Amino acid sequence: MPKQQADALGRGAVATPALPSSRLADLVLRWYAVVLRVLRDELPAGVAQAWGDQLVRRGMLGMALIGVGSLTPAFLPPDAPIVRTLHLQWLSTGAGRFSATLVLVAGMALLVDAWLRMRPREGSARLHRYTWLLWSLPVLLAPPLFSRDAYSYAAQGRIVGLGLNPYEVGPVYVTGEFQQYRDQVDPMWLFTPAPYGPLALQLQHAIVFVTGDNAYLAALAMRLPALASVALLAFTLPRLARRFGVSADRALWLGVFNPLVMMHLVGGAHGDAMMIALVSLALLLAARGQLFWASATIALSANFKQTAVLALIGVVGLAMQADTGPRSKAAKFVRAGVVHGGVAAATFTLLTAVSGLGWGWIPNLAVPASLRSLLSPPTLLGTALEGLLRISGVPDSWVAAAVPRVQTLGMLVGLVVIALIAWRVGPRRPVFASAAVLLVLCASGPVVHPWYLLWGGVLLAACRIGERTVEAMVWVTLFFACYGTVDATVSNGTWALGVTAAAWLLVKMVRRHREGDTGDADGDGPGENRGLLDGFGRLSGLDDRRTPSRSRTAHTIIS
C-alpha cells in the first residue's frame, strides 16, 4: 500500500471509490436490517441493562421531575387543553406555581448529578447506550421545554397545509378554525416568516396532518423527529469516535447523554436535532469512504437547517485524505471542494424542487437576528458600545448603528476564521474542523441560543481533544443548564429561586475546585462523593455506591 494511502487510512479515511448509485438499494436494505436487528434484539436487552444502573434511574427521575415541573406558564401556551383536562389551573398561580418550579429545579439538579457521575474514566463501568432513551421517556408527553419553538413549528406546518407560502407569511395569518395554532406561538414570532429549510417545513406539515388539527398535540409530536434524531446520534457518534481512536463512551457521555441534549433537543423538540444527527451520519459515511453519499447527506441535513452546509468542510477534508494522487494540497482541496460541493448543491436543489416550497428561505435567514441575544459575543459587545455611546451624548444615528456594525464585524471575523480552519485544519482533522466551524459560526453570529452550541459541540465529542477541552465543555454545559433553569424560573415569576440555586451551585463548584479531589477510591475519605441530592437519592433508592467517583468535576458540582 502506498505511504500516502496508509497515512490517510491511519487518520480514519478509507481510500475506496464513491458508492455507485446502482448500490443504493443494497445500502437501504443493509440499513433496514440493522434497524430491524436493533429493534428486535438489542433494544429490549439494552434498555433492561440500562434500567439496572442506579445512575440511569437517577437521571430518569430527574427528567420525570422536569416533566412534572413543566406544567406551568413558563412552558405551556395560554389556555392549554392539558390544563383544562387535568384540572391543573392551580399550578399557574401562587404556591402551585412555586412548587412546580421547585420540582423543575430539583429535576435539573438530579439530571446534572447523574450525568456528572457517569463521566467515563479509567476503570469505570461501560456506559449503557440506551441511557438517552430512558431519560427521554418521562418528557415525551411534557410540553415543549425551555423554548416555545415547537409551537411555531406547528403553526408553520398548518400554514403549509393551508396552501400559503411559509416563506412569505407568519403564524398571524392562521385564523378562523385554525386560530389555535396562532394562539400558541410566542408573540415575538407571530409576524415572522419561516427561516427553515423546505424539508423541515414539509415534515412539520406532515406532523400537523397526522395529528388531526390538534394544535397542542402537533407541537408535542414535533418531539418525535427530535427523538429519532437523538437515536441516530447514539448510533453514529460512537462509531465516528472509534474511527478516530476516541472512546465511544466519552462520545456518548459528552455528545448524547449531555443535559443540553436532553433539555433542548429532546425536551425542546428543536429541528436542530435532525441537522446535527444527519451531519454526524454524513461524516461517518465519509470516514468509511462513501463520499458521494456523505455529500448528499450534508445536503439533506441542510434542507432541515442550512448551517449544516459548513460540515461539508469535513467531507472535503476526508476526501483529500483519501486522494492518494500526486496533486498538491491546493489542487486536492479545489478538486474535492468542486466535486463534493457540486454533489451537495445538486442534491439540495433536487430536494428543494421535490418539496415544492422553493428558495424563499434565503431572505429569511435574518429572521432570528431580530431578537437581541446577549449570549452572542458580537451582540453583547455591540450593546455595551451602544450604552457607552448613549451616555457620551453622540448623535442618535451613531447609537443606533453600534449593534448592527459590531454584529457585521463579528460575522466577517467569523467567516475569515472559518476559511482558515477549512484550509489549515480541514485536511488534517476533518471532523474536528467541521465541529470548529459550526462553533465559530455560532459564536460570531448575531444570535446564540443554548442549543446552537450543540451544532459543533456534539461533533466535538467524537474528536480527539485534550482533557482541558473536555473540562471546558463540561463547564459550558453546566453554565447553560443553569441558564435554562434560571430562565424558566424567571418566566414563572420565581426568579429568586433560580438565581439562588445557580449562585449556590457556583459557590460549591469554585470551592471544591480550590480544595481539589481528596477522596480515596472507596469514597470513604474526606472527599467522599456526597452529592447535592444524595439524601434524596438514598430515600428514593437511587444512591450509587457501586463505583468510585468518576471525576473531579462530579465531586466539584455535587458535593
Side-chain angles (χ1 to χ4, degrees):
M1 179 182 295
K3 183 180 184 298
Q4 287 177 308
Q5 185 177 8
D7 290 343
L9 292 173
R11 288 190 292 268
V14 180
T16 58
L19 193 68
S21 57
S22 60
R23 293 183 58 192
L24 176 60
D26 179 59
L27 181 65
V28 171
L29 287 174
R30 280 193 291 162
W31 277 95
Y32 174 77
V34 169
V35 172
L36 185 64
R37 176 171 54 82
V38 168
L39 293 177
R40 185 187 60 197
D41 302 328
E42 294 185 13
L43 182 61
V47 169
Q49 290 175 359
W51 176 254
D53 190 317
Q54 293 173 335
L55 290 179
V56 174
R57 297 201 301 273
R58 180 185 290 240
M60 191 176 181
L61 175 60
M63 291 295 287
L65 293 178
I66 292 170
V68 171
S70 68
L71 300 174
T72 65
F75 304 118
L76 287 168
D79 300 321
I82 189 174
V83 174
R84 298 191 303 271
T85 302
L86 300 180
H87 305 289
L88 299 176
Q89 291 85 350
W90 63 279
L91 290 176
S92 300
T93 57
R97 189 184 228 180
F98 180 85
S99 299
T101 308
L102 186 61
V103 169
L104 175 75
V105 171
M108 279 302 307
L110 267 177
L111 174 65
V112 172
D113 183 357
W115 179 67
L116 289 171
R117 291 174 185 267
M118 279 184 175
R119 182 172 181 173
R121 50 168 280 201
E122 187 176 354
S124 65
R126 292 290 304 273
L127 298 184
H128 300 286
R129 69 173 72 179
Y130 292 106
T131 296
W132 67 270
L133 179 58
L134 288 178
W135 286 4
S136 301
L137 290 178
V139 297
L140 285 184
L141 299 180
L145 303 175
F146 304 102
S147 165
R148 293 178 178 262
D149 282 6
Y151 299 120
S152 295
Y153 297 163
Q156 290 161 1
R158 174 41 58 199
I159 288 172
V160 175
L162 291 174
L164 302 175
N165 189 340
Y167 294 135
E168 295 179 355
V169 303
V172 72
Y173 283 85
V174 182
T175 58
E177 61 180 313
F178 302 117
Q179 186 169 332
Q180 56 178 324
Y181 289 91
R182 183 187 71 180
D183 293 343
Q184 294 185 142
V185 176
D186 190 314
M188 183 183 303
W189 308 118
L190 271 177
F191 298 90
T192 57
Y196 306 110
L199 286 189
L201 293 172
Q202 288 293 8
L203 178 60
Q204 292 161 9
H205 172 219
I207 291 173
V208 167
F209 176 79
V210 169
T211 51
D213 295 329
N214 184 318
Y216 181 70
L217 183 59
L220 293 191
M222 296 298 165
R223 189 169 280 133
L224 296 178
L227 196 64
S229 300
V230 176
L232 181 58
L233 266 179
F235 176 82
T236 57
L237 202 65
R239 288 166 173 79
L240 185 63
R242 281 197 294 264
R243 284 213 158 241
F244 295 94
V246 177
S247 163
D249 274 0
R250 198 201 67 183
L252 279 172
W253 177 75
L254 202 53
V256 181
F257 303 165
N258 192 300
L260 297 183
V261 172
M262 294 295 112
M263 291 170 64
H264 298 297
L265 298 191
V266 176
H270 287 287
D272 305 64
M274 186 67 73
M275 179 204 66
I276 298 167
L278 289 173
V279 165
S280 178
L281 173 61
L283 293 174
L284 178 60
L285 290 172
R288 291 177 171 176
Q290 298 169 339
L291 297 167
F292 173 88
W293 295 113
S295 304
T297 304
I298 291 290
L300 177 62
S301 179
N303 239 273
F304 286 92
K305 190 144 190 173
Q306 300 86 339
T307 48
V309 72
L310 284 178
L312 195 63
I313 289 172
V315 176
V316 169
L318 286 162
M320 292 175 67
Q321 289 186 4
D323 186 349
T324 58
R327 287 175 286 272
S328 65
K329 175 184 175 181
K332 290 181 179 181
F333 185 83
V334 171
R335 181 174 183 270
V338 169
V339 171
H340 299 291
V343 170
T347 305
F348 189 96
T349 302
L350 176 62
L351 292 172
T352 300
V354 170
S355 75
L357 293 177
W359 300 81
W361 54 267
I362 295 177
N364 295 348
L365 290 176
V367 165
S370 59
L371 170 70
R372 180 170 292 197
S373 168
L374 296 184
L375 290 177
S376 161
T379 302
L380 179 61
L381 290 175
T383 301
L385 177 61
E386 180 186 64
L388 291 174
L389 292 175
R390 181 173 285 112
I391 63 178
S392 299
V394 300
D396 290 344
S397 59
W398 290 24
V399 176
V403 173
R405 294 289 175 82
V406 176
Q407 288 177 335
T408 301
L409 179 62
M411 285 298 299
L412 291 175
V413 171
L415 290 175
V416 171
V417 174
I418 287 170
L420 289 174
I421 292 173
W423 171 249
R424 298 175 66 95
V425 182
R428 295 185 292 107
R429 303 184 64 189
V431 177
F432 179 82
S434 293
V437 295
L438 288 168
L439 289 173
V440 168
L441 178 67
C442 172
S444 63
V447 175
V448 172
H449 294 297
W451 53 93
Y452 284 10
L453 278 83
L454 298 174
W455 296 349
V458 168
L459 295 179
L460 201 59
C463 300
R464 187 178 291 278
I465 52 179
E467 190 62 25
R468 289 187 178 181
T469 304
V470 174
E471 287 292 323
M473 293 176 68
V474 171
W475 280 84
V476 169
T477 296
L478 295 173
F479 170 80
F480 281 101
C482 288
Y483 174 85
T485 304
V486 172
D487 186 55
T489 63
V490 170
S491 299
N492 272 338
T494 55
W495 61 269
L497 173 63
V499 171
T500 301
W504 182 80
L505 189 60
L506 179 62
V507 169
K508 284 286 188 180
M509 291 158 62
V510 173
R511 191 187 72 179
R512 288 298 296 174
H513 261 290
R514 286 177 176 174
E515 291 176 357
D517 187 358
T518 58
D520 55 23
D522 298 331
D524 296 331
E528 183 181 355
N529 194 7
R530 295 189 180 276
L532 168 69
L533 297 173
D534 274 356
F536 179 72
R538 287 191 291 273
L539 289 175
S540 60
L542 295 177
D543 191 32
D544 180 33
R545 302 294 180 191
R546 297 173 299 104
T547 59
S549 169
R550 290 180 177 261
S551 71
R552 178 189 301 182
T553 308
H555 276 267
T556 300
I557 307 305
I558 307 304
S559 43

